[in-house]
Amino acid sequence: MSWGIIATWRMALEGIEVSSEKISKGMSAGDIVESVVKAVEDYPLYKSVGYGGLPNENCEVELDAAFMDGNSLSIGAVAGIKDFKNPVSMAKRLSEEKYNCFLVGTGAEEYGDENGFERKNMLTERAISFYNKRKKAIKEKGLSPYDGHDTVGVVALDIEGTMAVATSTSGLFMKKRGRVGDSPISGSGFYVDSNIGGAAATGLGEDLMKGCVSYEIVRLMGEGHSPQDAADRTIMKLNNELIRRRGYAGDLSVVCMNNKGQWGVATNIKEFTFSVATSNEKPKVYITKNLEGKTVYEEADEEWLKGYIKKINKKVE
Ligand code: GLY
Protein backbone atom coordinates (compact mmCIF):
# COMPACT_ATOMS: atom_id res chain seq x y z
CA MET A 1 0.00 0.00 0.00
CA SER A 2 1.36 3.45 -0.86
CA TRP A 3 2.02 6.16 1.75
CA GLY A 4 2.97 9.81 1.62
CA ILE A 5 3.83 12.89 3.67
CA ILE A 6 3.85 16.47 2.39
CA ALA A 7 4.56 19.58 4.45
CA THR A 8 4.91 23.31 4.05
CA TRP A 9 8.46 24.68 3.98
CA ARG A 10 11.96 23.29 4.22
CA MET A 11 11.68 23.35 8.03
CA ALA A 12 9.69 20.07 7.97
CA LEU A 13 12.46 18.09 6.26
CA GLU A 14 14.14 16.60 9.36
CA GLY A 15 10.79 15.48 10.78
CA ILE A 16 9.84 13.91 7.46
CA GLU A 17 13.18 12.11 7.20
CA VAL A 18 12.63 10.44 10.57
CA SER A 19 8.93 9.79 9.96
CA SER A 20 9.16 8.30 6.47
CA GLU A 21 10.88 5.21 7.84
CA LYS A 22 8.18 4.88 10.54
CA ILE A 23 5.20 5.37 8.23
CA SER A 24 6.56 2.77 5.82
CA LYS A 25 6.56 0.32 8.74
CA GLY A 26 2.96 1.03 9.72
CA MET A 27 2.86 4.11 11.96
CA SER A 28 -0.51 5.85 11.68
CA ALA A 29 -1.00 9.08 9.72
CA GLY A 30 -2.18 10.79 12.93
CA ASP A 31 1.02 9.93 14.83
CA ILE A 32 3.12 10.87 11.81
CA VAL A 33 1.71 14.38 11.36
CA GLU A 34 2.05 14.99 15.10
CA SER A 35 5.68 13.86 15.14
CA VAL A 36 6.67 15.92 12.06
CA VAL A 37 5.09 19.03 13.60
CA LYS A 38 6.69 18.35 17.01
CA ALA A 39 10.14 18.22 15.39
CA VAL A 40 9.52 21.73 14.02
CA GLU A 41 8.00 23.02 17.29
CA ASP A 42 11.06 21.81 19.20
CA TYR A 43 13.68 23.36 16.92
CA PRO A 44 14.80 26.75 18.29
CA LEU A 45 15.93 28.28 15.00
CA TYR A 46 12.55 28.13 13.24
CA LYS A 47 11.14 31.58 13.92
CA SER A 48 7.48 31.01 13.15
CA VAL A 49 6.57 27.81 15.01
CA GLY A 50 6.84 26.63 18.63
CA TYR A 51 10.05 27.19 20.62
CA GLY A 52 11.85 30.18 19.15
CA GLY A 53 8.69 31.47 17.43
CA LEU A 54 8.53 35.25 17.12
CA PRO A 55 6.38 37.09 19.66
CA ASN A 56 3.35 39.38 19.50
CA GLU A 57 3.63 43.14 20.01
CA ASN A 58 3.77 42.59 23.80
CA CYS A 59 6.76 40.27 23.35
CA GLU A 60 4.71 37.16 24.22
CA VAL A 61 4.78 33.99 22.11
CA GLU A 62 1.16 33.02 21.45
CA LEU A 63 0.78 29.69 19.69
CA ASP A 64 -1.93 28.14 17.49
CA ALA A 65 -2.15 24.49 16.41
CA ALA A 66 -4.64 22.00 14.98
CA PHE A 67 -5.10 18.34 14.19
CA MET A 68 -7.67 16.50 12.05
CA ASP A 69 -8.28 12.80 11.51
CA GLY A 70 -9.44 11.98 7.98
CA ASN A 71 -11.41 8.86 8.96
CA SER A 72 -13.63 10.24 11.73
CA LEU A 73 -13.34 13.91 10.64
CA SER A 74 -12.47 14.64 14.28
CA ILE A 75 -10.89 18.04 14.84
CA GLY A 76 -8.90 19.44 17.74
CA ALA A 77 -7.34 22.90 17.99
CA VAL A 78 -5.79 25.42 20.37
CA ALA A 79 -5.22 29.12 19.81
CA GLY A 80 -3.40 31.91 21.61
CA ILE A 81 -1.68 29.63 24.13
CA LYS A 82 1.53 30.48 25.96
CA ASP A 83 4.36 28.34 27.25
CA PHE A 84 3.45 24.81 26.19
CA LYS A 85 6.15 22.75 24.52
CA ASN A 86 3.99 21.02 21.91
CA PRO A 87 0.69 22.72 21.07
CA VAL A 88 0.09 20.15 18.31
CA SER A 89 -0.11 17.36 20.88
CA MET A 90 -2.78 19.28 22.78
CA ALA A 91 -4.71 19.74 19.54
CA LYS A 92 -4.45 16.02 18.78
CA ARG A 93 -5.71 15.08 22.24
CA LEU A 94 -8.57 17.60 21.95
CA SER A 95 -9.67 15.90 18.72
CA GLU A 96 -10.75 12.96 20.90
CA GLU A 97 -13.30 15.18 22.70
CA LYS A 98 -16.91 15.22 21.54
CA TYR A 99 -17.41 18.76 22.90
CA ASN A 100 -14.93 21.54 23.69
CA CYS A 101 -12.48 20.36 21.03
CA PHE A 102 -11.23 23.87 20.13
CA LEU A 103 -9.91 25.85 23.11
CA VAL A 104 -8.27 29.26 23.27
CA GLY A 105 -6.09 31.20 25.72
CA THR A 106 -6.43 30.48 29.42
CA GLY A 107 -9.06 27.76 28.86
CA ALA A 108 -6.67 25.88 26.58
CA GLU A 109 -3.82 26.38 29.08
CA GLU A 110 -5.95 24.98 31.92
CA TYR A 111 -6.72 21.96 29.74
CA GLY A 112 -3.00 21.55 29.07
CA ASP A 113 -2.15 21.66 32.78
CA GLU A 114 -4.99 19.35 33.80
CA ASN A 115 -3.96 16.80 31.17
CA GLY A 116 -0.25 16.84 31.92
CA PHE A 117 1.08 18.57 28.81
CA GLU A 118 4.63 19.80 29.23
CA ARG A 119 5.16 23.47 30.05
CA LYS A 120 8.11 25.38 28.58
CA ASN A 121 9.09 29.02 28.25
CA MET A 122 8.79 29.36 24.46
CA LEU A 123 10.38 32.82 24.20
CA THR A 124 14.08 32.48 23.31
CA GLU A 125 16.84 35.09 23.61
CA ARG A 126 17.10 35.00 19.82
CA ALA A 127 13.37 35.78 19.43
CA ILE A 128 13.77 38.70 21.89
CA SER A 129 16.65 40.02 19.73
CA PHE A 130 14.43 39.89 16.62
CA TYR A 131 11.68 41.66 18.56
CA ASN A 132 14.00 44.46 19.75
CA LYS A 133 15.44 44.86 16.27
CA ARG A 134 11.98 45.13 14.73
CA LYS A 135 10.77 47.58 17.40
CA LYS A 136 13.76 49.81 16.66
CA ALA A 137 13.22 49.59 12.89
CA ILE A 138 9.51 50.44 13.25
CA LYS A 139 10.36 53.47 15.36
CA GLU A 140 13.15 54.69 13.11
CA LYS A 141 11.85 53.81 9.65
CA GLY A 142 8.09 53.44 10.17
CA LEU A 143 8.08 49.88 8.77
CA SER A 144 4.95 47.75 8.90
CA PRO A 145 5.18 45.57 12.00
CA TYR A 146 3.47 42.64 10.29
CA ASP A 147 5.83 40.18 8.76
CA GLY A 148 6.69 36.49 9.06
CA HIS A 149 3.90 33.96 9.35
CA ASP A 150 5.22 30.61 8.18
CA THR A 151 3.03 27.79 9.47
CA VAL A 152 4.14 24.20 9.42
CA GLY A 153 1.28 22.17 7.92
CA VAL A 154 1.63 18.44 7.34
CA VAL A 155 -0.65 16.03 5.44
CA ALA A 156 -0.03 12.27 5.61
CA LEU A 157 -1.45 9.10 4.09
CA ASP A 158 -0.52 5.87 5.91
CA ILE A 159 -0.32 2.31 4.60
CA GLU A 160 -3.83 1.56 5.91
CA GLY A 161 -5.24 4.36 3.75
CA THR A 162 -5.92 6.70 6.67
CA MET A 163 -5.13 10.38 6.25
CA ALA A 164 -4.46 13.11 8.82
CA VAL A 165 -3.33 16.73 8.90
CA ALA A 166 -1.74 18.95 11.55
CA THR A 167 -0.64 22.58 11.73
CA SER A 168 1.32 24.73 14.18
CA THR A 169 2.41 28.38 14.21
CA SER A 170 3.34 31.35 16.35
CA GLY A 171 1.35 33.42 13.84
CA LEU A 172 2.11 36.86 12.59
CA PHE A 173 5.23 38.48 14.09
CA MET A 174 4.17 41.54 16.15
CA LYS A 175 0.51 40.53 15.99
CA LYS A 176 -2.01 42.00 18.43
CA ARG A 177 -2.49 39.98 21.61
CA GLY A 178 -5.31 37.49 20.94
CA ARG A 179 -5.00 37.60 17.14
CA VAL A 180 -5.67 34.20 15.56
CA GLY A 181 -4.93 33.28 11.94
CA ASP A 182 -6.02 30.43 9.68
CA SER A 183 -3.84 27.66 11.13
CA PRO A 184 -6.23 26.38 13.83
CA ILE A 185 -9.34 27.05 11.72
CA SER A 186 -10.85 24.00 10.05
CA GLY A 187 -11.29 24.42 6.30
CA SER A 188 -8.91 27.39 6.16
CA GLY A 189 -5.58 26.26 7.63
CA PHE A 190 -6.26 22.55 7.22
CA TYR A 191 -8.76 19.91 6.14
CA VAL A 192 -8.63 16.18 5.48
CA ASP A 193 -11.02 13.41 4.48
CA SER A 194 -9.52 9.92 4.02
CA ASN A 195 -12.05 9.26 1.26
CA ILE A 196 -10.55 12.10 -0.79
CA GLY A 197 -7.37 13.76 0.50
CA GLY A 198 -6.07 16.58 2.66
CA ALA A 199 -4.60 20.08 2.47
CA ALA A 200 -2.78 22.58 4.69
CA ALA A 201 -2.04 26.27 4.21
CA THR A 202 0.61 28.82 5.10
CA GLY A 203 0.73 32.55 4.56
CA LEU A 204 -1.31 35.50 5.71
CA GLY A 205 -4.10 34.02 7.83
CA GLU A 206 -6.34 37.06 7.37
CA ASP A 207 -6.43 36.38 3.61
CA LEU A 208 -6.30 32.56 3.62
CA MET A 209 -9.45 32.59 5.77
CA LYS A 210 -11.29 34.59 3.10
CA GLY A 211 -11.10 31.58 0.74
CA CYS A 212 -11.40 28.56 3.12
CA VAL A 213 -8.60 27.24 0.93
CA SER A 214 -7.97 23.84 2.51
CA TYR A 215 -11.61 22.76 2.34
CA GLU A 216 -11.91 24.09 -1.21
CA ILE A 217 -8.91 22.04 -2.36
CA VAL A 218 -10.30 18.84 -0.80
CA ARG A 219 -13.71 19.59 -2.36
CA LEU A 220 -12.14 19.99 -5.81
CA MET A 221 -10.10 16.79 -5.41
CA GLY A 222 -13.39 15.08 -4.50
CA GLU A 223 -14.85 16.29 -7.78
CA GLY A 224 -12.02 14.57 -9.65
CA HIS A 225 -9.38 17.29 -9.96
CA SER A 226 -5.77 16.24 -9.51
CA PRO A 227 -4.12 17.63 -6.34
CA GLN A 228 -2.01 20.00 -8.44
CA ASP A 229 -4.99 21.29 -10.38
CA ALA A 230 -7.11 21.68 -7.21
CA ALA A 231 -4.32 23.62 -5.48
CA ASP A 232 -3.65 25.89 -8.47
CA ARG A 233 -7.32 26.64 -9.07
CA THR A 234 -7.96 27.49 -5.41
CA ILE A 235 -4.96 29.76 -4.91
CA MET A 236 -5.15 31.53 -8.27
CA LYS A 237 -8.88 32.16 -7.84
CA LEU A 238 -8.50 33.58 -4.31
CA ASN A 239 -5.46 35.64 -5.30
CA ASN A 240 -7.28 37.14 -8.30
CA GLU A 241 -10.50 37.80 -6.36
CA LEU A 242 -8.62 39.52 -3.53
CA ILE A 243 -6.75 41.73 -5.97
CA ARG A 244 -9.93 42.54 -7.91
CA ARG A 245 -12.03 43.32 -4.83
CA ARG A 246 -9.43 44.71 -2.43
CA GLY A 247 -6.44 45.67 -4.59
CA TYR A 248 -4.10 43.38 -2.68
CA ALA A 249 -3.59 39.69 -1.82
CA GLY A 250 -1.38 38.55 1.05
CA ASP A 251 0.87 35.51 0.88
CA LEU A 252 -1.11 32.35 0.04
CA SER A 253 0.55 28.92 -0.19
CA VAL A 254 -0.81 25.37 0.12
CA VAL A 255 0.26 21.74 0.03
CA CYS A 256 -2.14 18.85 -0.58
CA MET A 257 -2.26 15.11 -1.17
CA ASN A 258 -5.00 12.76 -2.32
CA ASN A 259 -5.71 9.31 -0.92
CA LYS A 260 -3.54 7.71 -3.60
CA GLY A 261 -0.47 9.61 -2.41
CA GLN A 262 -0.43 12.03 -5.36
CA TRP A 263 0.37 15.56 -4.25
CA GLY A 264 0.15 19.17 -5.33
CA VAL A 265 1.20 22.66 -4.24
CA ALA A 266 0.34 26.22 -5.14
CA THR A 267 1.48 29.66 -4.12
CA ASN A 268 1.29 33.32 -5.02
CA ILE A 269 4.73 34.14 -3.61
CA LYS A 270 8.12 34.12 -5.32
CA GLU A 271 9.78 31.33 -3.37
CA PHE A 272 7.65 28.80 -1.53
CA THR A 273 9.44 25.67 -0.34
CA PHE A 274 7.91 22.37 0.68
CA SER A 275 9.10 18.95 1.83
CA VAL A 276 7.79 15.60 0.59
CA ALA A 277 8.35 11.86 0.97
CA THR A 278 6.22 9.07 -0.51
CA SER A 279 6.55 5.32 -1.04
CA ASN A 280 8.06 6.25 -4.44
CA GLU A 281 10.28 9.18 -3.48
CA LYS A 282 12.89 9.81 -0.79
CA PRO A 283 12.50 12.89 1.46
CA LYS A 284 13.12 15.98 -0.65
CA VAL A 285 12.76 19.73 -0.61
CA TYR A 286 11.26 21.51 -3.59
CA ILE A 287 11.14 25.20 -4.48
CA THR A 288 8.34 26.73 -6.51
CA LYS A 289 9.43 28.66 -9.58
CA ASN A 290 6.48 29.97 -11.52
CA LEU A 291 3.33 31.84 -10.61
CA GLU A 292 1.69 32.20 -14.04
CA GLY A 293 -1.53 30.35 -13.23
CA LYS A 294 0.16 26.99 -12.83
CA THR A 295 2.68 26.26 -10.12
CA VAL A 296 6.02 24.88 -11.29
CA TYR A 297 8.67 23.61 -8.89
CA GLU A 298 12.11 22.06 -8.86
CA GLU A 299 14.16 20.12 -6.33
CA ALA A 300 16.36 22.27 -4.10
CA ASP A 301 20.02 21.81 -4.99
CA GLU A 302 22.96 21.39 -2.59
CA GLU A 303 23.87 25.06 -2.79
CA TRP A 304 20.36 26.16 -1.82
CA LEU A 305 20.19 23.64 1.04
CA LYS A 306 23.55 24.80 2.44
CA GLY A 307 22.52 28.45 2.08
CA TYR A 308 19.34 27.71 4.04
CA ILE A 309 21.27 26.29 7.02
CA LYS A 310 23.55 29.33 6.96
CA LYS A 311 20.56 31.67 6.84
CA ILE A 312 18.70 30.18 9.81
CA ASN A 313 21.90 30.17 11.90
CA LYS A 314 22.75 33.78 11.11
CA LYS A 315 23.42 35.96 14.14
CA VAL A 316 20.76 38.59 14.84
CA GLU A 317 22.49 41.96 14.40
N1 GLY B 1 -0.86 31.41 8.56
C1 GLY B 1 -0.54 31.68 9.87
C2 GLY B 1 -1.15 32.90 10.43
O1 GLY B 1 -1.52 33.81 9.70
O2 GLY B 1 -1.24 33.00 11.63
Side-chain angles (χ1 to χ4, degrees), residues 64 149-151 169-172 179-183 201-206 208:
D64 307 332
H149 39 70
D150 299 344
T151 302
T169 186
S170 51
L172 211 53
R179 177 265 185 195
V180 177
D182 60 302
S183 304
T202 177
L204 184 64
E206 282 75 359
L208 287 159

PDB file of all heavy atoms in Angstrom, residues 64 149-151 169-172 179-183 201-206 208, ligand 1:
ATOM      1  N   ASP A  64      -0.702  28.755  18.025  1.00  0.00           N
ATOM      2  CA  ASP A  64      -1.927  28.139  17.490  1.00  0.00           C
ATOM      3  C   ASP A  64      -1.542  26.784  16.887  1.00  0.00           C
ATOM      4  O   ASP A  64      -0.487  26.669  16.256  1.00  0.00           O
ATOM      5  CB  ASP A  64      -2.530  28.974  16.357  1.00  0.00           C
ATOM      6  CG  ASP A  64      -2.756  30.439  16.719  1.00  0.00           C
ATOM      7  OD1 ASP A  64      -2.957  30.730  17.920  1.00  0.00           O
ATOM      8  OD2 ASP A  64      -2.748  31.270  15.797  1.00  0.00           O
ATOM      9  N   HIS A 149       5.072  34.713   8.907  1.00  0.00           N
ATOM     10  CA  HIS A 149       3.905  33.958   9.351  1.00  0.00           C
ATOM     11  C   HIS A 149       3.926  32.574   8.712  1.00  0.00           C
ATOM     12  O   HIS A 149       2.989  32.165   8.054  1.00  0.00           O
ATOM     13  CB  HIS A 149       2.605  34.692   8.990  1.00  0.00           C
ATOM     14  CG  HIS A 149       2.659  35.347   7.640  1.00  0.00           C
ATOM     15  ND1 HIS A 149       2.660  34.634   6.480  1.00  0.00           N
ATOM     16  CD2 HIS A 149       2.757  36.638   7.299  1.00  0.00           C
ATOM     17  CE1 HIS A 149       2.732  35.490   5.471  1.00  0.00           C
ATOM     18  NE2 HIS A 149       2.809  36.705   5.936  1.00  0.00           N
ATOM     19  N   ASP A 150       5.061  31.885   8.872  1.00  0.00           N
ATOM     20  CA  ASP A 150       5.217  30.610   8.180  1.00  0.00           C
ATOM     21  C   ASP A 150       4.737  29.452   9.058  1.00  0.00           C
ATOM     22  O   ASP A 150       5.423  29.036   9.984  1.00  0.00           O
ATOM     23  CB  ASP A 150       6.682  30.394   7.794  1.00  0.00           C
ATOM     24  CG  ASP A 150       7.166  31.478   6.858  1.00  0.00           C
ATOM     25  OD1 ASP A 150       6.321  32.190   6.295  1.00  0.00           O
ATOM     26  OD2 ASP A 150       8.382  31.588   6.700  1.00  0.00           O
ATOM     27  N   THR A 151       3.595  28.927   8.735  1.00  0.00           N
ATOM     28  CA  THR A 151       3.030  27.795   9.471  1.00  0.00           C
ATOM     29  C   THR A 151       3.646  26.499   8.979  1.00  0.00           C
ATOM     30  O   THR A 151       3.866  26.340   7.782  1.00  0.00           O
ATOM     31  CB  THR A 151       1.515  27.711   9.188  1.00  0.00           C
ATOM     32  OG1 THR A 151       0.928  28.941   9.584  1.00  0.00           O
ATOM     33  CG2 THR A 151       0.867  26.548   9.916  1.00  0.00           C
ATOM     34  N   THR A 169       1.789  27.081  14.541  1.00  0.00           N
ATOM     35  CA  THR A 169       2.408  28.377  14.211  1.00  0.00           C
ATOM     36  C   THR A 169       2.430  29.303  15.421  1.00  0.00           C
ATOM     37  O   THR A 169       1.605  29.169  16.333  1.00  0.00           O
ATOM     38  CB  THR A 169       1.621  29.064  13.061  1.00  0.00           C
ATOM     39  OG1 THR A 169       2.319  30.240  12.665  1.00  0.00           O
ATOM     40  CG2 THR A 169       0.213  29.465  13.478  1.00  0.00           C
ATOM     41  N   SER A 170       3.379  30.247  15.378  1.00  0.00           N
ATOM     42  CA  SER A 170       3.339  31.346  16.351  1.00  0.00           C
ATOM     43  C   SER A 170       2.633  32.546  15.719  1.00  0.00           C
ATOM     44  O   SER A 170       2.553  33.614  16.319  1.00  0.00           O
ATOM     45  CB  SER A 170       4.754  31.722  16.806  1.00  0.00           C
ATOM     46  OG  SER A 170       5.610  31.930  15.703  1.00  0.00           O
ATOM     47  N   GLY A 171       2.161  32.373  14.491  1.00  0.00           N
ATOM     48  CA  GLY A 171       1.354  33.417  13.841  1.00  0.00           C
ATOM     49  C   GLY A 171       2.193  34.591  13.372  1.00  0.00           C
ATOM     50  O   GLY A 171       3.411  34.521  13.256  1.00  0.00           O
ATOM     51  N   LEU A 172       1.486  35.656  13.128  1.00  0.00           N
ATOM     52  CA  LEU A 172       2.113  36.858  12.589  1.00  0.00           C
ATOM     53  C   LEU A 172       3.041  37.494  13.632  1.00  0.00           C
ATOM     54  O   LEU A 172       2.630  37.747  14.762  1.00  0.00           O
ATOM     55  CB  LEU A 172       0.965  37.823  12.288  1.00  0.00           C
ATOM     56  CG  LEU A 172       1.045  38.820  11.155  1.00  0.00           C
ATOM     57  CD1 LEU A 172       1.386  38.170   9.840  1.00  0.00           C
ATOM     58  CD2 LEU A 172      -0.307  39.531  11.057  1.00  0.00           C
ATOM     59  N   ARG A 179      -4.764  37.804  18.583  1.00  0.00           N
ATOM     60  CA  ARG A 179      -5.000  37.599  17.141  1.00  0.00           C
ATOM     61  C   ARG A 179      -4.832  36.113  16.792  1.00  0.00           C
ATOM     62  O   ARG A 179      -3.892  35.451  17.220  1.00  0.00           O
ATOM     63  CB  ARG A 179      -4.019  38.455  16.345  1.00  0.00           C
ATOM     64  CG  ARG A 179      -4.095  38.286  14.832  1.00  0.00           C
ATOM     65  CD  ARG A 179      -3.097  37.291  14.314  1.00  0.00           C
ATOM     66  NE  ARG A 179      -3.081  37.206  12.861  1.00  0.00           N
ATOM     67  CZ  ARG A 179      -2.504  36.226  12.192  1.00  0.00           C
ATOM     68  NH1 ARG A 179      -1.915  35.234  12.818  1.00  0.00           N
ATOM     69  NH2 ARG A 179      -2.515  36.215  10.878  1.00  0.00           N
ATOM     70  N   VAL A 180      -5.758  35.587  16.013  1.00  0.00           N
ATOM     71  CA  VAL A 180      -5.665  34.195  15.560  1.00  0.00           C
ATOM     72  C   VAL A 180      -5.763  34.188  14.041  1.00  0.00           C
ATOM     73  O   VAL A 180      -6.594  34.892  13.463  1.00  0.00           O
ATOM     74  CB  VAL A 180      -6.794  33.326  16.167  1.00  0.00           C
ATOM     75  CG1 VAL A 180      -6.738  31.900  15.633  1.00  0.00           C
ATOM     76  CG2 VAL A 180      -6.694  33.312  17.691  1.00  0.00           C
ATOM     77  N   GLY A 181      -4.908  33.390  13.400  1.00  0.00           N
ATOM     78  CA  GLY A 181      -4.930  33.282  11.943  1.00  0.00           C
ATOM     79  C   GLY A 181      -5.667  32.040  11.478  1.00  0.00           C
ATOM     80  O   GLY A 181      -6.539  31.511  12.169  1.00  0.00           O
ATOM     81  N   ASP A 182      -5.309  31.560  10.305  1.00  0.00           N
ATOM     82  CA  ASP A 182      -6.016  30.432   9.685  1.00  0.00           C
ATOM     83  C   ASP A 182      -5.609  29.072  10.265  1.00  0.00           C
ATOM     84  O   ASP A 182      -6.372  28.106  10.164  1.00  0.00           O
ATOM     85  CB  ASP A 182      -5.712  30.405   8.181  1.00  0.00           C
ATOM     86  CG  ASP A 182      -4.214  30.242   7.935  1.00  0.00           C
ATOM     87  OD1 ASP A 182      -3.446  31.087   8.416  1.00  0.00           O
ATOM     88  OD2 ASP A 182      -3.817  29.255   7.285  1.00  0.00           O
ATOM     89  N   SER A 183      -4.421  28.985  10.838  1.00  0.00           N
ATOM     90  CA  SER A 183      -3.838  27.662  11.128  1.00  0.00           C
ATOM     91  C   SER A 183      -4.693  26.746  12.017  1.00  0.00           C
ATOM     92  O   SER A 183      -4.734  25.540  11.776  1.00  0.00           O
ATOM     93  CB  SER A 183      -2.441  27.818  11.720  1.00  0.00           C
ATOM     94  OG  SER A 183      -1.660  28.566  10.831  1.00  0.00           O
ATOM     95  N   ALA A 201      -2.399  24.961   4.782  1.00  0.00           N
ATOM     96  CA  ALA A 201      -2.040  26.268   4.212  1.00  0.00           C
ATOM     97  C   ALA A 201      -0.990  26.975   5.051  1.00  0.00           C
ATOM     98  O   ALA A 201      -0.821  26.701   6.246  1.00  0.00           O
ATOM     99  CB  ALA A 201      -3.291  27.136   4.131  1.00  0.00           C
ATOM    100  N   THR A 202      -0.313  27.916   4.407  1.00  0.00           N
ATOM    101  CA  THR A 202       0.606  28.819   5.105  1.00  0.00           C
ATOM    102  C   THR A 202       0.557  30.168   4.400  1.00  0.00           C
ATOM    103  O   THR A 202       0.313  30.232   3.205  1.00  0.00           O
ATOM    104  CB  THR A 202       2.044  28.261   5.145  1.00  0.00           C
ATOM    105  OG1 THR A 202       2.911  29.212   5.766  1.00  0.00           O
ATOM    106  CG2 THR A 202       2.577  27.956   3.756  1.00  0.00           C
ATOM    107  N   GLY A 203       0.787  31.225   5.158  1.00  0.00           N
ATOM    108  CA  GLY A 203       0.726  32.551   4.556  1.00  0.00           C
ATOM    109  C   GLY A 203      -0.022  33.492   5.474  1.00  0.00           C
ATOM    110  O   GLY A 203      -0.071  33.285   6.693  1.00  0.00           O
ATOM    111  N   LEU A 204      -0.609  34.498   4.911  1.00  0.00           N
ATOM    112  CA  LEU A 204      -1.311  35.502   5.711  1.00  0.00           C
ATOM    113  C   LEU A 204      -2.700  34.986   6.085  1.00  0.00           C
ATOM    114  O   LEU A 204      -3.603  34.920   5.247  1.00  0.00           O
ATOM    115  CB  LEU A 204      -1.424  36.812   4.925  1.00  0.00           C
ATOM    116  CG  LEU A 204      -2.062  37.964   5.703  1.00  0.00           C
ATOM    117  CD1 LEU A 204      -1.214  38.371   6.905  1.00  0.00           C
ATOM    118  CD2 LEU A 204      -2.297  39.164   4.802  1.00  0.00           C
ATOM    119  N   GLY A 205      -2.851  34.620   7.363  1.00  0.00           N
ATOM    120  CA  GLY A 205      -4.101  34.019   7.830  1.00  0.00           C
ATOM    121  C   GLY A 205      -5.329  34.850   7.501  1.00  0.00           C
ATOM    122  O   GLY A 205      -6.362  34.325   7.105  1.00  0.00           O
ATOM    123  N   GLU A 206      -5.190  36.181   7.635  1.00  0.00           N
ATOM    124  CA  GLU A 206      -6.341  37.062   7.374  1.00  0.00           C
ATOM    125  C   GLU A 206      -6.875  36.858   5.961  1.00  0.00           C
ATOM    126  O   GLU A 206      -8.084  36.951   5.727  1.00  0.00           O
ATOM    127  CB  GLU A 206      -5.921  38.530   7.565  1.00  0.00           C
ATOM    128  CG  GLU A 206      -5.825  38.985   9.016  1.00  0.00           C
ATOM    129  CD  GLU A 206      -4.589  38.467   9.754  1.00  0.00           C
ATOM    130  OE1 GLU A 206      -3.781  37.730   9.164  1.00  0.00           O
ATOM    131  OE2 GLU A 206      -4.441  38.815  10.949  1.00  0.00           O
ATOM    132  N   LEU A 208      -5.996  33.989   3.857  1.00  0.00           N
ATOM    133  CA  LEU A 208      -6.304  32.564   3.619  1.00  0.00           C
ATOM    134  C   LEU A 208      -7.716  32.239   4.104  1.00  0.00           C
ATOM    135  O   LEU A 208      -8.442  31.468   3.471  1.00  0.00           O
ATOM    136  CB  LEU A 208      -5.282  31.682   4.351  1.00  0.00           C
ATOM    137  CG  LEU A 208      -3.886  31.655   3.718  1.00  0.00           C
ATOM    138  CD1 LEU A 208      -2.841  31.206   4.724  1.00  0.00           C
ATOM    139  CD2 LEU A 208      -3.862  30.756   2.483  1.00  0.00           C
TER     140      LEU A 208
HETATM  141  N1  GLY B   1      -0.858  31.410   8.558  1.00  0.00           N
HETATM  142  C1  GLY B   1      -0.539  31.685   9.872  1.00  0.00           C
HETATM  143  C2  GLY B   1      -1.146  32.903  10.435  1.00  0.00           C
HETATM  144  O1  GLY B   1      -1.516  33.805   9.696  1.00  0.00           O
HETATM  145  O2  GLY B   1      -1.245  33.004  11.630  1.00  0.00           O
END
